[in-house]
Every structure is written in C-alpha cells, then in structure tokens.
Amino acid sequence: MKMYRSHIMICRGTGCTSSSSEQIAQEFEKQLKLHGIDEEVIVERTGCFGLCALGPIVIVYPEAAFYSLVKPEDVEEIVKEHLVKGRVVKRLLYAETIEEDRIKSLNQVNFYKKQVRVALRNCGIINPENIDEYIAFDGYKALARCLTELKPEEVIDIVKRSGLRGRGGAGFPTGLKWEFTAKAQGDMKYVCCNADEGDPGAFMDRSILEGDPHSVLEAMAIAGYAVGGSQGYIYVRAEYPIAVKRLSIAINQAREYGLLGKNILGTGFDFDIELRLGAGAFVCGEETALLASIEGQRGMPRPRPPFPANKGLFGKPTLLNNVETYANICPIINNGPEWFASMGTEKSKGTKVFALGGKINHTGLVEIPMGTTMREIIYEIGGGCPNGKAFKAAQTGGPSGGCIPADKIDVPIDYETLTALGSMMGSGGLIVMDEDNCMVDIAKFFLEFTVDESCGKCTPCREGTKRMLEILDRITKGKGQEGDIERLETLAKNIKASALCALGQTAPNPVLSTLQYFRDEYEAHIRDKKCPAGACQALLQYIIAEDKCKACGICAKQCPVSAISGKPKTPYVIDQGKCIKCGACLEKCPFKAISRG
Amino acid sequence: MKTLKDLEEIRKRTLDTINLRKDQSGTRIVVGMATCGIAAGARPVLLAIMEEVEKNDLSDVIVAQTGCIGMCKLEPIVEVYRPGEEKVTYVKMNPSKAKRVVNEHVMQGKVVQDYTIGAEE
C-alpha cells in the first residue's frame, strides 16, 4: 500500500450503509479526483464506529475529524475545505468533539471515554477487506506465536487463566470448553463459530464480522490448534449480507497467504474454514440446533448430554463459541491472560459489547469493562433518554432476559449481578425504556417473539408460551381476569422446569422479571382496566374537557374517522365507539383541552 | 505461502502507511494550504514532503495541512512539531528545501536554521 497523507474512513457497516454511506464513499472518490488530490488522499471503507445514531459517519485522519450525519451533498465541501485547504468543516463535526475550537481526541468524547475496545479493537480503524491492514495491527501474530512457541495445552491454559467466559449469553468458561473438547476422543474434531445472532436489538456479532472478520478466523485457527481440530464452520445468518461478503473475502485472503489451509506458516498445522448460512431461525442459535442445521438437518435442539464437546457436529467432538468470544482470543494471547483478567469483576473478566437501543440518545455499539454500572452506560455513554423523559427500565438478554428497573441502575454489570436481578447477560442487547413504555406490553412483545420462534419440538415451549401470550394479550386489551397473574406464574414455572432447550427454559423470563418489579402495572391493567404508561391502546380514552373546549372544531377536522362532533359554542365530544386512539386530536388542540387517560 | 518473516514485513510495511489512524506520538509536519499557500506553491511542497517521508520509511511522521496562519507573504509555510520540542516554522519553502527539512530536521533532529522564520526576519 502506498503512502497517503490523509485517510478518509467511511463506515460501511449495516447501519451507515442503509443511510447511503456507499454513495458518500463514491462521491468522495469522485471529488478527490476532480480536485486532483486522489494520489494524496485515500478513501477507506471500514466497519462500525459504534455511534450508529449519528451515522453516516466519516472520520478523516490524521486530524481524526469526526463528521456525523454526512450527506452525499456535503462531500464536496469536505473535500474543498478540509482536504484541499486544511480547514475542518465545523458545521458537520460531531459537536461533542469540538472544544475551544480544537478537535478533541476521540477517546476524550463522552461516548468513547469509558469504553475499552478489545473485541471491537479494529472496527472502524481498518479496512476489513484488506488483510494487510489487519496484519499491521498485530493480526495473525497470536496464531504465529501459538503455532511456533506454544503447545496446545499451553494455549488452553492461557485462555483458562484469562477468565474469559462465553459471550453468547450463558457465560460458560471458554478455557474449560476448549479443554473438554481437547480431551474428547475422536479421529476428527470440528471448531464452529456461532454467528446466528438473533436477539432483537443485538448487533455486536454482525459488527465484528463486518468490521474485523480476520479476528474471528485467526481465533478459530488458534482454537483448532488447541483442541486438535482441522475443520471450522461459521454459521452466519443469510440476512447479514455484508458480514457474509466480508467473511468470504477474508477467508480467501487468508487462504492466499497460507494462514488457512494446509501447512499454515510452514508449521505442518492444517486448518480451514467454511461458511454455512442460516435462514434466520432464532432456535438455530442454540448449540445443538445450530449443529443439526450445519449437518443439513432441520434446526431443532436435542437433549444434552452428550454435549457437543464430546458428540457434536457429525457425531464428532466439536468446539462451538460465539463471535465475540473468538474476537477476544487474539488480544489475550498477545497481551497475556493477566492483562485480560485485570479488567472486570471477580468472576466476570474483560470487557463486554452492548448494543444500545430503544429510548436512548446514542443508539449504537459500546464496549465497556465488566462491572461498569447501568447508570454509566445509559447516561454517560448513551446520553440518557431523548426528550427529557424519565428512564424506567433496561431490558437485557433479549427474549431470554429480563428488565432492570430504574432503582437498580447503580448495580455493576456482570454475569452474576444480572442473573441475581432476574435478567441475564445474553448476547448484550440493551434496550432502554422510558416512562411511556408499558411493561406488560414489553413482556408481550418478547413472548410474541418466542412464540413465533419456538421450533415446536417440546410441548412446554410450543403450547406453554402460547397460553402465556394469550393471557398477556387479554390483559393488555382490558379483558384480564383475577387470577391471571397467578396463572402466568404457574405456567412460567412449569415451562422453565420442563422445556427442552434454553430457548424454552428462558422464554418466561421477560414475564417473570416484569412481574417482579412492575406487578402493580399488571394489577392496574387487570383490576382498573388502565395502562399507567398510556401505551396499551385498548385501555386508552381520549376525552375533551368541557370547560377548556372553545368549540373551534380543529379536532373534528383532524380526526381521520370522524369520531368527533359538535356545534358552534358547545363543547365537542368524542364518540368512544368510533375512536381509533390515534392521538391526532390531542396534538392539534390549541387549548390543550384534550387529555388521554 | 507466507512465512513468519513475510508476515513481519507486511506488518511493518502496512503499519507505516496506516499508522496515522492511531493516536499519534511522533513528529507532525504541517503545511499551510490556504489560498495564499496554494498560490505560492504549497502543493508541490506537500507532495515533496510526502515523497521523502515515504522514501525514508518514516512510520512515526504525519503530514498534515492547515489553513492560513496570517503571514501570507512568507508562504509556502511548513511547521514541524517534534515531540517535546518547540515548534519550528519554515518559510518561503520549495520542494528541494522541504526535502532538506525532512532529511535534517525530521530525521536527524537538526533544525535547518537558514529557512526558519527567524532567519527571514
């Protein structure tokens, strides 16, 4: 690669790509040529910077100028001013990065200040389609060291001592899993990667695969060396087209360089990786279902034991780790297990990536040391709830997790504390809810998801979750009955105890945890037929206050179903039978005479 | 197939070209590129500096631009910031002077007194 004085890094992760970052990249290339500086300045397409809410994001080095919400028509100005004349275009900079007219270094900005990027170390910094850039930042150094200096059991020992635990959700110690697979007897062993990211709102695995695919390939090769496997499979969702494309490019480049395939680096070690595309069934993220799907069977779980470490893919010993788990391996080998274990809490070491979503200002991807509090994540990094609304709860762990209420916001986050609060780490989706979110409605949303995604193999999950959803549905429609809460609790207990796989066993968690912290909301729905948050439409009523109504008739004109009637000088009324609760009248009333209750 | 040595070479070669994306500790060479600078010939100066930096494999050196610093009649102006040292401002630069600054000041730490703003005044 030749020397360029300035590098324009454009995010080509899924988020920014969906808001036209490719057009922006092409416009930059065109404008650079037009201004005759295309030999001095290079345009690089890169992975996710994390601050998706402000995308499309463009970072220009060496100044590290952070341009946010860039539009194709802004490109000419950036090229003319910044790249030709050296004057940063202030109006397009992310406001937080400017201080007294100077550009702050990115790690001083609130969003990045508390972050420690281990799994995301290369995302946004390298071009993921260029293996040389990965190699430049210590890529394939860890593999080279393992193959030339360390015995397989020493590699496993390093992973064990680091304290790394599975980032896919359950938090099983990674080193132990490697050891079990290494000790299992078999003429053939497999190393698999679970990239079937399915929790609503979680997108860290996608971002790692899009932004730094080699970090996963290298770690899988190391795992292959440690456990004695020679074939790897990455099971990735077909609806992640950018991740699939970058992985394919990365695998080909690694093969060309002899970093995958036969006799890697001349050491006699053979390891290759193939992709398997999943059709998007949530249950295929469960390990036994995933392996069945790779085999070409229908993706359904089977009882364990035997665990995959002993009897996995095609009946052979199989190691299966999640994308983010693998992304931590190379830094652990390069920097030592003590370095990794120095971050985090007593039982949860290292960092964790969270996908921030819902009612939060800085929607995006953050990586923080374990033990960071929810308050730091939501307020300091995430910028709090939009429009000054009050924070009510955070949902972690997706459909298997639960809610953490506002009064538990200062608890340091790790595997144990989340479980103790009735939630779980899960893959790291973190959905923020404010005062307008109804907790019964949230529980219903997640249960709808599990009912849709239940594979149907075992009765507790197939029938039990459906019955729970029916009860929740009638509660939110104002038809809840006394005893419904108890019925939900009994069903939840039985499903947890008897479902075949983790999907079923954890499906009642969203209901149980909202019942634990927001039981009064359930009771209000059932007894008073009211939704305290004002979210359940069936329980809402729009009412015109007679004393405030000036009979102007604006509300009647706004109503899309002609449910409002009235005459001059007499207050208007809403026909509750016709009203569809759209709220248009409330927004337009100039005298604030309409209320929702 | 690549060997360990090949890998190390790729690492070093690529790092030289993309190091500017990491937090910087090394030398910064800043060229004034406002209208006045460009009119006075800042672009060939900039290109000469880049060429020299690349030729000599200087991985810890950044070449950047800036706007007008107010002394338009002394353009093209080049400023060199070495860590822990005072900024040195060179004036009325041309490509061959720029190459000398890279070779003597940036690489060997010897300020080229003849071209500095002090010498001009």
Side-chain angles (χ1 to χ4, degrees):
Chain A
M1 196 174 143
K2 90 187 230 359
M3 172 106 186
Y4 292 90
R5 70 171 161 86
S6 186
H7 295 207
I8 304 172
M9 312 299 290
I10 297 171
C11 174
R12 275 285 268 115
T14 296
C16 288
T17 300
S18 66
S19 43
S20 65
S21 66
E22 179 54 33
Q23 282 103 294
I24 292 172
Q26 286 170 14
E27 183 65 21
F28 264 111
E29 282 162 346
K30 193 179 121 197
Q31 290 292 339
L32 290 177
K33 225 182 181 94
L34 219 60
H35 289 87
I37 51 173
D38 52 326
E39 291 292 310
E40 303 162 31
V41 180
I42 189 171
V43 177
E44 290 275 31
R45 291 155 175 88
T46 181
C48 182
F49 299 112
L51 200 45
C52 308
L54 294 178
I57 292 170
V58 174
I59 298 186
V60 179
Y61 290 98
E63 295 88 353
F66 189 106
Y67 292 114
S68 59
L69 299 167
V70 178
K71 291 191 278 305
E73 52 269 32
D74 296 327
V75 169
E76 190 181 353
E77 185 179 350
I78 297 178
V79 170
K80 262 188 179 163
E81 283 294 304
H82 185 158
L83 295 159
V84 175
K85 294 188 176 168
R87 289 193 293 236
V88 172
V89 183
K90 279 195 199 128
R91 76 172 177 93
L92 293 170
L93 285 181
Y94 171 36
E96 269 219 37
T97 61
I98 323 174
E99 191 178 54
E100 290 167 5
D101 266 17
R102 289 183 58 128
I103 297 178
K104 277 202 271 187
S105 139
L106 276 186
N107 49 26
Q108 288 168 4
V109 174
N110 278 336
F111 182 77
Y112 290 105
K113 200 155 55 180
K114 294 217 160 171
Q115 292 198 48
V116 179
R117 289 162 84 93
V118 178
L120 298 176
R121 62 193 177 279
N122 287 329
C123 283
I125 296 175
I126 64 166
N127 173 351
E129 297 184 10
N130 182 347
I131 187 172
D132 288 359
E133 295 198 5
Y134 176 72
I135 291 173
F137 292 135
D138 291 338
Y140 291 102
K141 207 177 188 174
L143 176 65
R145 175 159 174 246
C146 290
L147 295 183
T148 54
E149 294 171 26
L150 299 172
K151 295 197 198 84
E153 50 277 21
E154 288 173 319
V155 176
I156 292 175
D157 185 57
I158 290 175
V159 177
K160 272 169 85 176
R161 279 193 289 140
S162 74
L164 175 65
R165 294 168 64 175
R167 298 297 193 237
F172 190 81
T174 305
L176 223 49
K177 211 179 206 180
W178 288 31
E179 190 174 62
F180 290 155
T181 318
K183 283 186 176 156
Q185 297 298 318
D187 50 346
M188 176 76 192
K189 290 182 188 176
Y190 294 100
V191 171
C192 297
C193 174
N194 185 345
D196 191 65
E197 184 172 52
D199 284 3
F203 54 95
M204 61 285 297
D205 293 348
R206 186 189 74 204
S207 293
I208 292 170
L209 296 174
E210 287 174 357
D212 195 15
H214 286 286
S215 70
V216 175
L217 305 185
E218 183 183 2
M220 286 178 73
I222 292 172
Y225 174 70
V227 306
S230 57
Q231 178 63 48
Y233 289 102
I234 300 176
Y235 188 83
V236 57
R237 303 173 84 87
E239 69 245 51
Y240 282 180
I242 299 177
V244 170
K245 180 181 154 220
R246 301 234 166 106
L247 273 172
S248 312
I249 293 172
I251 290 173
N252 284 334
Q253 288 177 340
R255 280 184 190 147
E256 247 169 60
Y257 275 24
L259 297 164
L260 284 179
K262 298 264 176 235
N263 192 19
I264 293 173
L265 292 167
T267 58
F269 172 64
D270 303 338
F271 189 79
D272 208 351
I273 296 175
E274 284 182 35
L275 297 183
R276 287 291 179 270
L277 304 193
F282 182 64
V283 74
C284 286
E286 195 280 338
E287 59 178 11
T288 58
L290 183 149
L291 296 175
S293 180
I294 295 181
E295 289 172 359
Q297 319 280 341
R298 183 168 171 185
M300 280 183 158
R302 60 158 176 82
R304 297 172 306 178
F307 286 92
N310 294 308
K311 206 163 183 282
L313 192 61
F314 304 114
K316 308 290 182 192
T318 301
L319 176 73
L320 178 63
N321 285 135
N322 155 273
V323 171
E324 191 189 333
T325 313
Y326 280 126
N328 279 296
I329 294 293
C330 299
I332 289 174
I333 306 275
N334 284 331
N335 303 329
E338 294 76 20
W339 161 80
F340 192 78
S342 71
M343 296 180 284
T345 61
E346 194 197 335
K347 289 186 179 161
S348 305
K349 301 299 186 192
T351 57
K352 177 79 191 88
V353 184
F354 285 96
L356 299 184
K359 307 282 184 65
I360 189 148
N361 277 317
H362 299 159
T363 305
L365 211 56
V366 305
E367 183 170 359
I368 38 127
M370 294 275 191
T372 306
T373 65
M374 195 66 87
R375 182 187 298 281
E376 291 171 286
I377 298 180
I378 292 170
Y379 287 101
E380 294 179 34
I381 299 173
C385 298
N387 307 320
K389 297 270 182 178
F391 167 71
K392 183 170 181 180
Q395 212 279 350
T396 67
S400 305
C403 291
I404 294 155
D407 60 349
K408 301 279 191 297
I409 195 173
D410 287 311
V411 173
I413 296 176
D414 68 13
Y415 289 100
E416 277 70 31
T417 52
L418 286 180
T419 309
L421 288 174
S423 183
M424 67 182 285
M425 182 71 80
S427 55
L430 200 156
I431 298 168
V432 177
M433 287 165 283
D434 69 9
E435 53 192 294
D436 293 341
N437 286 104
C438 164
M439 303 314 279
V440 186
D441 191 48
I442 294 289
K444 191 177 106 181
F445 167 81
F446 281 107
L447 217 59
E448 269 168 1
F449 181 85
T450 353
V451 168
D452 268 355
E453 294 290 347
S454 172
C455 77
K457 187 170 181 176
C458 74
T459 319
C461 175
R462 186 185 64 238
E463 297 296 329
T465 55
K466 189 134 178 69
R467 295 289 91 79
M468 286 182 77
L469 180 59
E470 283 167 5
I471 297 175
L472 286 174
D473 192 52
R474 71 172 176 243
I475 293 177
T476 56
K477 295 218 164 98
K479 297 190 179 131
Q481 305 155 6
E482 282 300 327
D484 272 352
I485 293 181
E486 291 70 23
R487 269 186 283 274
L488 280 173
E489 286 173 332
T490 312
L491 274 166
K493 207 176 96 200
N494 290 339
I495 295 170
K496 276 177 92 96
S498 56
L500 174 59
C501 77
L503 190 154
Q505 288 156 15
T506 58
N509 283 353
V511 178
L512 288 174
S513 97
T514 46
L515 268 175
Q516 182 183 351
Y517 297 113
F518 302 96
R519 200 182 184 94
D520 52 334
E521 280 193 36
Y522 280 82
E523 286 166 351
H525 281 76
I526 296 170
R527 294 193 188 134
D528 313 330
K529 312 293 177 208
K530 289 243 187 282
C531 174
C536 296
Q537 282 205 352
L539 299 179
L540 287 180
Q541 255 193 352
Y542 287 86
I543 295 167
I544 302 175
E546 285 186 18
D547 53 329
K548 288 188 191 157
C549 178
K550 304 270 188 261
C552 67
I554 289 178
C555 57
K557 278 190 204 124
Q558 289 299 323
C559 181
V561 290
S562 306
I564 307 180
S565 56
K567 293 191 290 276
K569 294 189 180 161
T570 50
Y572 276 55
V573 271
I574 301 174
D575 178 347
Q576 299 297 339
K578 280 190 192 165
C579 174
I580 54 162
K581 288 138 190 175
C582 65
C585 53
L586 181 138
E587 269 172 42
K588 293 288 172 183
C589 177
F591 310 107
K592 300 205 184 323
I594 302 177
S595 63
R596 190 172 69 177
Chain B
M1 190 189 67
K2 301 281 186 231
T3 62
L4 282 176
K5 205 167 141 262
D6 298 336
L7 216 54
E8 203 41 58
E9 266 164 30
I10 296 171
R11 175 166 300 129
K12 200 178 164 315
R13 193 180 67 220
T14 316
L15 195 58
D16 283 352
T17 62
I18 65 174
N19 214 8
L20 83 173
R21 299 179 203 160
K22 290 260 164 159
D23 262 352
Q24 282 307 313
S25 53
T27 303
R28 283 166 58 86
I29 308 174
V30 181
V31 184
M33 296 282 277
T35 307
C36 48
I38 294 172
R43 183 152 300 281
V45 171
L46 177 82
L47 294 176
I49 292 172
M50 282 173 59
E51 201 185 305
E52 208 59 18
V53 167
E54 185 176 10
K55 200 172 79 191
N56 292 298
D57 231 4
L58 307 178
S59 59
D60 218 15
V61 172
I62 281 196
V63 184
Q65 310 162 279
T66 188
C68 175
I69 57 172
M71 293 177 292
C72 308
K73 67 166 187 164
L74 299 180
E75 293 281 0
I77 294 177
V78 173
E79 296 173 321
V80 176
Y81 298 79
R82 277 168 59 93
E85 289 174 23
E86 286 273 305
K87 168 182 87 175
V88 177
T89 306
Y90 294 106
V91 298
K92 293 191 175 172
M93 295 297 279
N94 61 35
S96 65
K97 286 179 177 179
K99 282 184 184 174
R100 201 177 140 199
V101 167
V102 173
N103 279 305
E104 294 182 18
H105 186 180
V106 177
M107 292 171 65
Q108 302 167 42
K110 288 188 293 201
V111 177
V112 189
Q113 292 296 347
D114 303 353
Y115 307 156
T116 59
I117 190 162
E120 177 68 26
E121 282 172 341

